[in-house]
Amino acid sequence: MELHERIPNNVNLSGDKKLQRALEKWLPNYLEWWREMGPEGFQEKDVWLRTATSVEPEGWAHFDYVRMPDYRWGIFLKPAERDARVGFGDNAGQPAYQEVPGEFRNALRRIVVTQADTEPASVEQQRRLGQTCPSLYDLRNLFQVNVEEGRHLWAMVYLLHGYFGRDGRDEADALLERRSGNPDKPRILEAFNQPCDDWLNFFCFTMFTDRDGKYQLSALAESGFEPLARTCQFMLTEEAHHLFVGETGVGRVVKRTAQLMKESEDVRRLGGIPFEIIQRYINYWFSYSLDLFGGEISSNAADFFAAGLKGRYQEQKKYTEHLLVNDVYSLPVIEDGRIVEREVPMRNALNEVLRGEYVRDCERALERWNKYIADEGVSRVLSLPHRRFHRHVGEYAGHHFDVEGNLITAEEFEARKSEWLPTLEDREYVRSLMHPVTEPGKIANWIAPPASGIKGKPFEFEYVRL
Ligand SMILES: [Fe+2]
Ligand SMILES: [Fe+2]
């Protein structure tokens, strides 16, 4: 572990002078981007953050007060396994690729760039949220997510610089030039151009959109391109905390609303967020996040699997058969205005298979939230919309469905849209509740406090010194 270098790393950067120089050149541009687009108004404050100091499963994170621009962003890969092999596809069993396989160079670069682009994008989307934090605990969690997304950008830029030559360096520069939501130079994926300007959006984003990231990273963590696999494996350990922030964040809003419901059906009067609005936010972020998995029927997915580059979720742990040559997958598609089943080769359906894993994971969170409501003695159930609802990518894009997945007309959709998706008025109402609460131990009225603090500290701990 070389922690005291300008760029902390466990990839022996000092042994590769060319790469080290390239990354040291990129570093000031990164810091400039961070100062311009990172959390607004808190750059000089001490934040109680965890920093990766070791990739070992035990104690890889060190907690202390840090000013965010001084955060030790670094390049950490899970240690290499001896005799690593390609785990699936046509080359299963052959030695893992230590270099980018020539014929997949462009495709793989696209995968890395697309993943990389989401990291700074989310920091940009969230940069003003600190000013309306519901508590110091939440403020700290926001910043923890932000600095780690910054580190994930480093992890991906290392791959671009290290394995994609000149093109990779250009892509690394472009990652600092695009801006979330900017019509002239938008981020690559649509969910990452959506505004994230209130905390319900933030919690839904970290619940649903970061969770897509978990599944993409998990699929890439299986990759036969070993540097990518090892990078993603380490990123996943950090990502788990982001999902925790999202899932418990929405859960605490749900819990608070249920508590207020016991006082009055009119939750707004009490300054809470009504379940209808929470449901519409869920519908919105869930559907946008489903799009991130790509088309249901995809030759790219088939090619990546065949090449051993992108596997299924827990490919090695969950499955014994890794070739998928004769398997088929049946999925509903739209033909002549009707929903009909179509069989496709399994390899072409792997985006949909991954999406299925994601949906099951989200359902688990919904069950937990519904339990919070039931525990308060309130009868109300939140649910996920059908996966066909409000899609902009794949087989269902261009058609309209209700939240149960029934095919409806564009007019019907338009007429009922305000039942299903956040209205301008919903967003304004949620925004109207966003006032900063920064006294240690205090919390905004629209959200319940967390069950416990961070790393053994109480909720009252001064997580950010203002
Ligand atoms: Fe990330
Ligand atoms: Fe994340």
Side-chain angles (χ1 to χ4, degrees):
M1 206 65 165
E2 290 144 285
L3 268 175
H4 302 290
E5 294 182 22
R6 272 186 86 197
I7 303 167
N9 70 90
N10 71 341
V11 294
N12 187 26
L13 205 51
S14 54
D16 185 343
K17 287 294 171 210
K18 198 168 153 225
L19 179 58
Q20 187 182 19
R21 269 198 303 276
L23 286 170
E24 282 182 353
K25 219 174 124 197
W26 190 80
L27 172 65
N29 298 338
Y30 170 81
L31 283 174
E32 197 182 307
W33 166 80
W34 178 269
R35 286 196 179 272
E36 186 194 328
M37 297 310 295
E40 200 176 275
F42 295 91
Q43 301 274 355
E44 302 308 317
K45 306 295 181 192
D46 283 328
V47 187
W48 201 65
L49 292 174
R50 73 173 178 189
T51 305
T53 55
S54 151
V55 293
E56 304 310 317
E58 291 306 310
W60 62 268
H62 174 75
F63 284 77
D64 206 347
Y65 284 107
V66 189
R67 288 160 64 247
M68 284 184 276
D70 301 335
Y71 189 77
R72 304 291 284 159
W73 284 288
I75 299 160
F76 305 110
L77 273 62
K78 197 167 165 224
E81 266 171 46
R82 284 239 312 264
D83 192 33
R85 302 267 154 182
V86 178
F88 52 90
D90 296 342
N91 301 327
Q94 294 182 15
Y97 319 126
Q98 298 305 329
E99 293 295 331
V100 179
E103 77 247 67
F104 290 105
R105 194 186 161 82
N106 287 342
L108 203 52
R109 190 183 77 201
R110 197 73 201 151
I111 291 182
V112 172
V113 168
T114 306
Q115 175 64 40
D117 194 63
T118 66
E119 315 287 357
S122 66
V123 174
E124 292 168 0
Q125 284 170 295
Q126 296 160 14
R127 61 192 291 261
R128 293 207 174 89
L129 284 173
Q131 290 154 10
T132 56
C133 65
S135 73
L136 278 188
Y137 165 91
D138 290 291
L139 186 62
R140 178 255 166 225
N141 284 350
L142 167 70
F143 295 155
Q144 184 71 60
V145 170
N146 292 158
V147 293
E148 283 173 353
E149 300 305 7
R151 204 202 65 74
H152 293 174
L153 175 59
W154 272 96
M156 290 287 147
V157 161
Y158 160 72
L159 292 179
L160 289 171
H161 274 272
Y163 295 90
F164 293 90
R166 171 86 199 258
D167 302 351
R169 290 196 292 280
D170 291 346
E171 294 282 13
D173 291 341
L175 283 164
L176 298 177
E177 285 156 16
R178 285 187 286 274
R179 292 286 182 272
S180 174
N182 183 320
D184 299 327
K185 42 180 184 175
R187 291 294 173 181
I188 296 169
L189 297 168
E190 252 333 280
F192 292 86
N193 287 308
Q194 305 298 319
C196 192
D197 46 9
D198 67 61
W199 281 75
L200 186 55
N201 271 327
F202 171 65
F203 291 135
C204 286
F205 181 94
T206 36
M207 164 70 206
F208 292 110
T209 306
D210 264 297
R211 194 171 304 271
D212 156 73
K214 168 185 165 179
Y215 283 86
Q216 299 304 330
L217 292 175
S218 298
L220 296 174
E222 303 286 337
S223 185
F225 175 41
E226 223 210 353
L228 176 62
R230 289 167 53 209
T231 304
C232 292
Q233 286 158 11
F234 186 64
M235 287 163 74
L236 279 166
T237 56
E238 291 168 321
E239 207 57 59
H241 175 67
H242 309 180
L243 304 184
F244 163 85
V245 169
E247 183 176 335
T248 57
V250 177
R252 288 158 53 212
V253 177
V254 167
K255 189 173 177 177
R256 182 64 184 149
T257 298
Q259 288 169 348
L260 293 171
M261 288 277 286
K262 290 192 296 187
E263 280 178 56
S264 163
E265 285 284 312
D266 186 3
V267 169
R268 280 175 188 243
R269 199 171 50 79
L270 301 174
I273 303 178
F275 282 128
E276 297 73 45
I277 295 185
I278 299 174
Q279 181 65 62
R280 287 195 279 272
Y281 271 61
I282 292 172
N283 295 348
Y284 177 87
W285 284 106
F286 179 68
S287 57
Y288 264 113
S289 302
L290 288 179
D291 280 340
L292 297 172
F293 288 83
E296 282 73 14
I297 304 169
S298 163
S299 56
N300 275 341
D303 290 347
F304 289 159
F305 187 86
L309 295 175
K310 186 177 177 186
R312 286 168 292 180
Y313 178 63
Q314 299 190 330
E315 178 74 40
Q316 293 311 315
K317 204 172 139 194
K318 258 182 83 165
Y319 301 95
T320 49
E321 206 281 318
H322 302 291
L323 298 181
L324 302 182
V325 268
N326 297 316
D327 303 34
V328 290
Y329 187 89
S330 175
L331 83 162
V333 296
I334 312 305
E335 266 176 31
D336 303 326
R338 288 185 313 125
I339 300 176
V340 297
E341 289 288 317
R342 184 188 298 167
E343 273 195 354
V344 295
M346 182 62 91
R347 285 183 176 187
N348 291 74
L350 289 176
N351 287 344
E352 184 62 4
V353 171
L354 194 61
R355 188 163 21 234
E357 299 277 0
Y358 169 85
V359 172
R360 274 188 288 285
D361 196 10
C362 291
E363 280 167 352
R364 185 198 43 76
L366 264 289
E367 273 171 36
R368 186 167 299 183
W369 299 342
N370 283 326
K371 190 170 174 307
Y372 294 155
I373 305 176
D375 285 350
E376 297 294 334
V378 172
S379 61
R380 172 75 207 227
V381 176
L382 294 168
S383 56
L384 294 175
H386 195 279
R387 63 171 93 175
R388 289 195 284 270
F389 172 76
H390 190 233
R391 293 287 303 281
H392 299 84
V393 170
E395 292 297 310
Y396 311 121
H399 302 283
H400 294 88
F401 301 89
D402 64 15
V403 285
E404 272 91 44
N406 301 307
L407 195 56
I408 56 174
T409 65
E411 293 73 36
E412 285 172 289
F413 184 85
E414 209 41 51
R416 298 190 64 188
K417 199 175 156 191
S418 62
E419 257 174 72
W420 295 329
L421 293 167
T423 62
L424 209 57
E425 199 272 325
D426 289 343
R427 292 183 187 285
E428 274 166 13
Y429 175 70
V430 173
R431 260 202 300 271
S432 77
L433 299 178
M434 300 292 129
H435 301 292
V437 177
T438 54
E439 205 179 311
K442 291 276 162 57
I443 189 149
N445 181 48
W446 53 268
I447 183 168
S452 55
I454 294 289
K455 189 75 180 169
K457 297 286 184 206
F459 173 65
E460 297 75 26
F461 182 68
E462 192 177 13
Y463 289 102
V464 184
R465 288 182 180 146
L466 296 176

